[in-house]
Every structure is written in C-alpha cells, then in structure tokens.
Amino acid sequence: MSRSARWLFGLLLCLGMLAPAAPALADGIIVPDPPVCDGELCPGPFPISQLAIRYHRVEVSIEDQVATTRVDQVFRNDNDFVVEGTYIFPLPAGAAVTQFTLWIDGEPVEGKVLTREQARQTYEDIVRSLRDPALLEYVDRGAVQASIFPIDPGAERRIELEYTQVLQAEDGLVHYRYPLNTEKFSTQPLEEVTVRIKVDSRDPIQAVYSPSHEVDIARDGEHEISATYEATNVLPNRDFELYYSLGEDRIGVHVLSYRDPAEDEDGFFLLLASPAFGAELDSAVAKDVLLIIDRSGSMDGEKMEQAKQAAIYVVRHLNPEDRFNVLAFSSSLSTYASTLREGDEAADAVAWIEALSARGSTDINRALLEAAAQLDSERPALVLFLTDGLPTEGVTDREAILDNMARSAPDSLRLFSFGVGYDVDAVLLDTLSEAHHGATTYVLPDQDIEESVSAFYAKVSTPVLTDLDLDLGEVRAYDVVPEALPDLFAGGQLIVIGRYRNSGETTIELSGRVEDRSEEFRYSDVEFVSSGGPDFLPRLWATRKIGALLNDLRLHGADQESVDQVVRLCIQYGFVTPSTSYLVTEPNALGTDAIGEIVEDAFKALQSAPSIVSGRAAVERAAAESALGGADIAAAPEGEAAQVVRTAGTRAFHLVDGVWTDTAFDPQAMDPRRVPFLSEDYFALAASRPDVAAALALGPDVIIVVDGIAYQTVEADEAGDAIQVPDPITSSDPAVPGQPDEPSASDPGIGSTGVRLPCAGGAFALGACFLPLRERWIRRGH
C-alpha cells in the first residue's frame, strides 16, 4: 500500500477510534505488599494489578449539595498465592470529606483519611517499593486507607465504604465526581458496575450532564432527578462525573470553561441550555408534522410493519395544537389527506397507516416535493423521512434532488432522515438533513425501526424555542460546534462547545422564535476562566470538531485547510487506530515538518479517492461521523489502539519504541532533559503539576513536554546533570482536602465516631504514630 493510500485509509479509519469512549469504571485499590528477600525488599518491579474486581456498586444521595456516597466492591484473588496489602481509595480532588465509615466483609474496621500531602508521600513510597508509577496520577488527592488481611487463593474480600462531602456550586452548576480511574489495577474486566445517583434539591434542577459516561436520566418533578449508569464486563479507564444546574429561569444557560494554566493558548468552553421542567405546559410551540414513509418493494415484511408502527406512534403523540399528514411513496405517491389535518384525526390516520403495503420502486424526489408543498413558513415543521433505498424512479440524480428541495422547502422546515439498512444514499440523506436544519439517524439491519423513530420523536415532539441564535459577547468565541444551532425542545438540552480568546465576565444572549414572535434571553456576568477548569473540555471539543470536519470532507469534498485541521487534531489528541499506527511507530511521525508532509499526502489521497455513497462502509462511516459531531463524551482510545495511544489530562501519548511520547514532542527541535526514574528529580517533576504526574503514571519510560521543554525518564545510569523542574501551578484546592489543620472529627487519626484510631492494627501512614511503609513490609517478614 502506498504512503498516500495509507494516509487516506488511516484518515477514514480515524473514526474507528473516535467513537465516544466506551463506558468504563474503576474503584478503590488493594496495593499488594512486595515480597521480602533476605530481610530486604526484593528488586522490582512488582505490578499493582494482582487482584480481580468482581463487582463495583455505587449509591449516591445528594440532598441540597451534601453528597453521601456508599461504595460496595468485591475483590477476588485468582492467583495461586496469598495476597496481602493495603486498601487505598483516592478521594475526589478537592473533596471536602466530613466523615467516613469502612467495612471489610461486613465488619467495621479502623481506617484513616490521608491529607493530600500524606497521600502524596504514601503514593511515592509505594511507587519506589513496587517500581510501578501508576499511583502518581493521584498525587493531588487525599485518600481513605486501611490494612487488608491476607486473601487466600480463590478467596474474595468485600469492602464497603461510605463518605460524605459538600458539593460546591459555581454560577448555579453543581459538580459531583467519583474517583474511578484505576483501570490498570484490575486483572480482569469487572463483571458488574452500577452507579446510581439521586439528587434532591430545594432549587429547581435544569440541565443534567455527564461528560464521562452515558447515563439514564429520570425526573420526578422539578426538584428531583436520578442518574444511572450500568455496565457488565468492562475495563475501567475514567472517573465518573455528573453536572447539574440549578435555577429559576425559563431557559437556563450555564457555562463550563477551561484554559491551560501553563500555556498561552485560547480557552475551551461548553454551554448548556435547557428549558425549565414543565416548559411544555405553557410554552410549547405549535408545529406541523409530516411523515414520509418508503413503501417500495424492498420494505416488504418486518421493515414495513415496523415503519407503520413508528408512524402510528407519532400521530398518537401529537400535541393539541399540532397539524399532521402522512405520505407513502414508491413508484407512485399516496397521502392520508390532501392537506395538513388537525391532531384530533389521529384515529382515522392510524387506520389508513395500518392498511399500507409495500410494492414498487423508489421516487424520493416526488415525495419530498409533495411534503414541501404542503408546508407554509408560518409554523415550524418537522418532516420525518424514512427510506431503505436509493432513488430509482423519477428524478434519480442526487444533485437535482437536493436543488429541487432547496428551491421548494420553506425555512421553517426541519428534515430528519431515517436511513434503514445499508442500501441508502448516505450522502443524499445527510446533505438533505444538513441543508434543512435536521439530522440523520441510521437504523442498522439488527435495529428496530419503530424504536428508533419513536425514541427520536419523543425528544423533539415539543419545541419551545426555534431558529436559535447565540451571542457570547466579548469573549470572542470561535470554532463553535455545532455551527448551526438546533431547536430547543422540552425535556431536552442544547450542548454547544467551542474556543474563546478573551477571559473574564461576559453577557450571553440567546434568541429565537416562539411561534410568530421573537424572544431574547440575557445572562449577565457569566465567567470564562483565565486559568484552570475541567480538563475534559479540550478533548471533547476536538472530538466534536473532528466529527464536523470529517462530515464536511465527506459531503463537500476535500480542501487543504480541513484536511490540515483533521490531521493536526488527530495527532495532537491521539485520535488514531491500529491502521494509523505509523503515526506512533515511525520516528518522523511527530514534529512540524513531518506533520506538514502528512497533511500534503492526506490531501492528495482524498482528492483522488472515489466517493462511496452507499453500502455498509458508507452507512457506518456516516453514522460514526454523526456520533462524533454530536458527542457528549470525549473520544478515547479503544481496543488495540489503546495499546499504542494513551491520554493523561489534556495530553495524548503515543508509544514510540517503548516510550510513551507526548504528541507535543518535536524530535527535530527538542533535546529532552533526562530524569532518572524514581530519583528525587523524578518525584519533584511529578509533584510540580497534577497533569505531569498523570503523564508519568503511564509507565517508567515517558517523554513529556512542559512549558516547551521536553523531559524524558531514563534509568539512573543514563541520566545527565540535575534538572530544573517546571514551576508548580498554584491550585485553588486546599492542601488538605476539606480537612482543617487542627484535629477534629474528620482528622486523619480520628474515626467517624470521633475516637482517635490506635497506631497498631489500623492503616499505615508516614508520621510519628505510624511505621514507615518500607519498614512495615520488612517487619512482616514475608
């Protein structure tokens, strides 16, 4: 395969890794004691991963921002030797933990809350002893800790933990985080993972959003919500996070923003807009609904029956002021009525739909033009267009169909296409939806048409604000995704993500139409931070941006600027697959000159590539790009790609010749400073910034770029002169997460009952009352 062909193949298959991250969770850690040889610790390294986690269950109750978290997990020793060690549960960064209780196999045990500084010392001690840097990513967190009695081969140990923390609300947005990113510490996938969160608030709850996992949201009035995540057979890789907004506004708007505190770069923002609960009762927009059903011969059988049930669902769930019609097309066209009808005729329409049968060819052009002719520009119109084939009758040229529809459709039309199976023209469907303010849903052969259509319609059945326009004021936003804003529906929320140049407070204006009048909503003193913020935002923005760019390339052809952006973002954020592994393994894959050559090769390959518009590959690519462009969760490495690509905070790393290499590293322009593994310089580098520690936790061999300077971890005999570590970034979190300096009921040496824990028999820590970790292990005489 030529280099140009490889670049084209890799660029197209970038989608394979760019699917939103697969759900995965983790838990507390049992750190095994290292073996002792002749009175000294045996030379390592010793992996932390020695136990399997059978299940992990989390129940969270949040009442007026006080969160009580109860954890239930079972560890299993699948080895043929006894495992003994220490249980460590990294606390959420900055969490104000007020009390905790710990049980092992149902019995209460003595435990300890470590301050952030104590936890850092403990993590470093473990890293030195095991020669495994994995725990370094938690250096900015406190921890709960307890000793674990020996676990025999084949035996299990059940650990339950409960702790309480106060959640902070910033600008009406509350954030809950559960520490789950310990995927490297389970030897097997978790058989069962459950996270259930119930929120009860005195203030009305508006938007609910998880940037980490796909959750099911249920509302019980405007003051209570529940969020649930469930999975089986998963390998953990990220913390669980949930945001929810509080407010009285008819349409609430809240913003998250991030700006790298170490780099002079523009910021990233995410805006959540959601109507108040119950908005459908007093502000629903009256609309017109047209269903266009393909009844050609290829729809015969189960597909036709499912399509009819989907249409019946829609007409039975119209709002009181809605009008509707149903069109069925093949070689000919039949309609339920000659004009739009009132919703009270739903029963008659159901009988008409039930009598439909499949036969003939596929005249898509005629069906679309008839639907457009029935609409006017005074009311919003939803057109649900369902087909399983290519145009074979009448006008069949794609560009002619698009031009005809562009001339005929009113601006009020919102066209939502449903492509059934693989024999559809994906470019036609996606271009139609894009041009008419809608979206395309692909119903694959093993999926149910009725379920897909009814689930979609339930989300869009009640528009509350249409023709949206967003003005972010003086922050100078750009690269906003989506570029064209969709309508806002009752029970839903709008997520907009982009970049910004100017930090500080601004006034946001959101405007739109409610039936025949314009409305504007203003939100004053909204802050876009100058430093810090949630670090998932850059990767989420890149996920959506790449999805939008790939979609444009597919629908409108290759241009140099778009290809340049796709390649650079894929490299910067590590969006690659095994098919693009040359980015990881070739010495010239990184660096300014190399990337320029890559862009040129990719552009030429795309220009010469034939267009694939239908078939399985075309449909799966279109569905993947659509998922990326609207992703709520940032893409992450999956499958084989995860063996050569890792992420740490906002950074991505490629495995190059056994070294985890920062994608910001330019081998032609940078000479790395050598840092001996496990040296004082090494731990000083890790302690300088949390994102640096997270990068070093990837393994003993790492190249990381900080403030434009490259650092490479090496064995002691390969080191050079002592290094100057980067200046630390001041954190707004307290040095002791939620803990006062003086002893209290939440002091590290005091249990949840307020009684000071004894030195012996409890968890270890560094301090006058506790044996140092190394000595404790050696005295056990393993």
Side-chain angles (χ1 to χ4, degrees):
M1 182 183 291
S2 69
R3 187 177 184 188
S4 294
R6 291 169 65 195
W7 277 116
L8 172 63
F9 189 52
L11 187 63
L12 298 182
L13 287 179
C14 183
L15 294 170
M17 207 211 78
L18 279 177
L25 295 178
D27 44 77
I29 310 157
I30 292 181
V31 180
D33 292 351
V36 175
C37 302
D38 298 326
E40 292 291 334
L41 294 181
C42 300
F46 304 104
I48 292 178
S49 307
Q50 293 190 16
L51 297 174
I53 297 134
R54 187 161 67 84
Y55 71 72
H56 183 65
R57 300 166 184 162
V58 183
E59 298 283 343
V60 186
S61 175
I62 304 175
E63 296 186 11
D64 294 324
Q65 296 173 222
V66 177
T68 300
T69 301
R70 185 178 180 97
V71 184
D72 182 2
Q73 55 192 132
V74 169
F75 294 84
R76 185 180 64 240
N77 183 8
D78 292 335
N79 304 293
D80 57 2
F81 54 86
V82 174
V83 173
E84 185 174 0
T86 300
Y87 177 76
I88 296 180
F89 185 91
L91 294 170
V97 174
T98 58
Q99 61 179 2
F100 80 95
T101 310
L102 185 68
W103 300 265
I104 298 179
D105 292 338
E107 297 294 329
V109 299
E110 297 167 346
K112 178 180 176 63
V113 173
L114 301 181
T115 68
R116 188 164 63 187
E117 178 62 24
Q118 289 173 320
R120 183 182 67 82
Q121 293 292 335
T122 298
Y123 297 146
E124 290 184 4
D125 202 25
I126 293 172
V127 169
R128 286 189 178 96
S129 299
L130 298 182
R131 296 184 61 83
D132 184 339
L135 290 181
L136 287 179
E137 65 184 287
Y138 305 113
V139 294
D140 64 331
R141 303 185 186 186
V144 172
Q145 177 183 288
S147 292
I148 299 296
F149 292 106
I151 307 175
D152 294 327
E156 294 182 341
R157 185 74 74 239
R158 181 183 183 187
I159 297 180
E160 298 168 273
L161 171 71
E162 182 176 295
Y163 63 92
T164 301
Q165 65 187 111
V166 178
L167 306 180
Q168 301 299 315
E170 295 186 9
D171 297 324
L173 201 60
V174 181
H175 180 208
Y176 173 82
R177 182 171 186 168
Y178 178 72
L180 302 169
N181 185 19
T182 54
E183 53 103 348
K184 56 184 73 67
F185 306 128
S186 177
T187 59
Q188 300 290 332
L190 280 67
E191 295 177 10
E192 173 195 342
V193 175
T194 304
V195 179
R196 292 189 177 92
I197 301 177
K198 183 177 181 180
V199 182
D200 188 348
S201 172
R202 285 175 294 184
D203 298 320
I205 302 171
Q206 294 185 318
V208 182
Y209 168 63
S210 172
S212 61
H213 297 82
E214 294 183 5
V215 295
D216 293 327
I217 305 295
R219 292 181 178 268
D220 185 7
E222 63 179 348
H223 297 276
E224 294 184 16
I225 63 103
S226 62
T228 303
Y229 169 78
E230 294 180 324
T232 57
N233 194 36
V234 291
L235 272 177
N237 67 357
R238 61 175 63 191
D239 286 357
F240 181 91
E241 296 189 75
L242 186 76
Y243 289 87
Y244 62 92
S245 64
L246 305 174
E248 304 273 359
D249 294 327
R250 195 173 114 217
I251 295 180
V253 166
H254 299 85
V255 170
L256 294 168
S257 57
Y258 171 85
R259 200 160 198 155
D260 192 328
E263 303 290 341
D264 184 21
E265 295 182 351
D266 292 342
F268 301 81
F269 75 89
L270 181 144
L271 180 144
L272 291 166
S274 58
F277 181 82
E280 66 272 16
L281 300 178
D282 54 16
S283 59
V285 177
K287 66 184 185 300
D288 296 332
V289 179
L290 277 86
L291 292 109
I292 307 176
I293 303 174
D294 185 343
R295 57 175 296 187
S296 60
S298 59
M299 286 287 291
D300 192 29
E302 185 178 5
K303 286 195 290 187
M304 193 65 203
E305 291 305 312
Q306 291 179 4
K308 291 194 294 184
Q309 291 304 311
I312 289 171
Y313 174 90
V314 172
V315 299
R316 283 178 172 169
H317 288 81
L318 297 168
N319 293 329
E321 302 300 321
D322 292 347
R323 300 181 304 189
F324 80 100
N325 203 353
V326 185
L327 292 73
F329 73 96
S330 57
S331 306
S332 59
L333 178 70
S334 57
T335 62
Y336 164 68
S338 58
T339 60
L340 293 166
R341 312 303 294 172
E342 300 298 328
D344 58 9
E345 291 191 22
D348 293 337
V350 167
W352 185 86
I353 294 169
E354 288 177 335
L356 291 174
S357 60
R359 62 180 183 274
S361 300
T362 311
D363 192 343
I364 289 176
N365 182 74
R366 182 180 178 187
L368 291 173
L369 294 183
E370 175 61 27
Q374 294 199 13
L375 302 174
D376 58 48
S377 59
E378 299 302 319
R379 287 160 61 105
L382 300 184
V383 175
L384 277 60
F385 170 49
L386 190 151
T387 182
D388 78 332
L390 305 170
T392 58
E393 187 86 6
V395 178
T396 59
D397 179 72
R398 182 189 311 115
E399 295 303 322
I401 295 172
L402 293 172
D403 289 343
N404 291 341
M405 192 61 177
R407 289 193 299 267
S408 303
D411 292 339
S412 60
L413 184 148
R414 306 290 187 262
L415 193 151
F416 297 95
S417 303
F418 292 83
V420 180
Y422 296 131
D423 296 328
V424 296
D425 186 332
V427 173
L428 173 62
L429 297 186
D430 286 345
T431 307
L432 279 169
S433 298
E434 178 187 72
H436 301 286
H437 318 291
T440 302
T441 300
Y442 289 97
V443 186
L444 302 184
D446 59 344
Q447 295 175 328
D448 189 289
I449 300 171
E450 178 189 359
E451 290 181 1
S452 298
V453 175
S454 59
F456 169 82
Y457 185 73
K459 297 177 182 178
V460 303
S461 62
T462 309
V464 295
L465 192 68
T466 64
D467 298 322
L468 271 63
D469 185 65
L470 181 65
D471 185 350
L472 297 177
E474 299 178 356
V475 298
R476 296 178 62 197
Y478 66 99
D479 268 345
V480 175
V481 185
E483 185 175 352
L485 300 182
D487 298 336
L488 190 59
F489 300 93
Q493 58 193 28
L494 171 67
I495 298 179
V496 179
I497 192 164
R499 308 290 307 270
Y500 67 94
R501 292 189 171 89
N502 297 336
S503 301
E505 293 185 346
T506 188
T507 296
I508 294 176
E509 296 180 356
L510 177 66
S511 59
R513 296 190 63 80
V514 179
E515 295 184 330
D516 59 350
R517 68 183 188 276
S518 298
E519 289 206 20
E520 183 177 285
F521 303 85
R522 293 173 60 88
Y523 308 88
S524 302
D525 303 325
V526 180
E527 183 180 8
F528 286 67
V529 300
S530 59
S531 178
D535 64 5
F536 72 84
L537 289 177
R539 193 170 187 82
L540 178 57
W541 170 80
T543 300
R544 283 197 168 199
K545 182 64 177 178
I546 290 174
L549 288 169
L550 289 173
N551 192 64
D552 285 344
L553 290 171
R554 179 173 59 91
L555 299 182
H556 308 299
D559 66 271
Q560 183 100 24
E561 182 179 354
S562 294
V563 173
D564 183 274
Q565 289 186 72
V566 168
V567 170
R568 292 181 187 278
L569 288 173
C570 277
I571 292 175
Q572 179 180 355
Y573 290 96
F575 292 156
V576 295
T577 71
S579 300
T580 59
S581 59
Y582 36 79
L583 287 174
V584 178
T585 58
E586 291 186 4
N588 63 346
L590 299 178
T592 302
D593 294 341
I595 292 175
E597 293 179 7
I598 291 168
V599 170
E600 189 64 30
D601 287 342
F603 178 59
K604 291 178 180 178
L606 282 172
Q607 280 187 314
S608 60
S611 176
I612 302 175
V613 301
S614 64
R616 179 168 184 167
V619 168
E620 291 183 346
R621 180 185 172 190
E625 289 173 359
S626 176
L628 284 178
D632 294 343
I633 301 172
E638 291 185 320
E640 294 182 12
Q643 304 303 313
V644 293
V645 179
R646 296 283 173 86
T647 61
T650 62
R651 305 172 189 270
F653 292 81
H654 292 167
L655 188 62
V656 181
D657 295 330
V659 179
W660 289 109
T661 304
D662 195 329
T663 58
F665 177 64
D666 188 337
Q668 286 78 42
M670 296 178 178
D671 183 16
R673 298 181 180 181
R674 295 173 174 268
V675 184
F677 181 52
L678 304 182
S679 67
E680 293 303 317
D681 281 345
Y682 177 84
F683 287 107
L685 181 64
S688 66
R689 302 174 189 178
D691 62 327
V692 174
L696 295 180
L698 293 174
D701 300 303
V702 175
I703 295 177
I704 182 173
V705 178
V706 186
D707 297 340
I709 299 174
Y711 299 86
Q712 180 173 6
T713 58
V714 296
E715 292 299 325
D717 56 0
E718 301 176 21
D721 297 333
I723 65 164
Q724 177 67 42
V725 301
D727 294 331
I729 297 173
T730 303
S731 171
S732 58
D733 292 338
V736 181
Q739 310 297 336
D741 293 334
E742 296 300 321
S744 69
S746 56
D747 183 84
I750 295 179
S752 59
T753 60
V755 178
R756 179 169 292 277
L757 301 175
C759 296
F764 65 84
L766 297 181
C769 186
F770 293 88
L771 292 173
L773 174 61
R774 181 182 180 89
E775 184 178 352
R776 185 180 77 92
W777 276 332
I778 294 175
R779 286 193 182 184
R780 283 189 178 182
H782 286 260

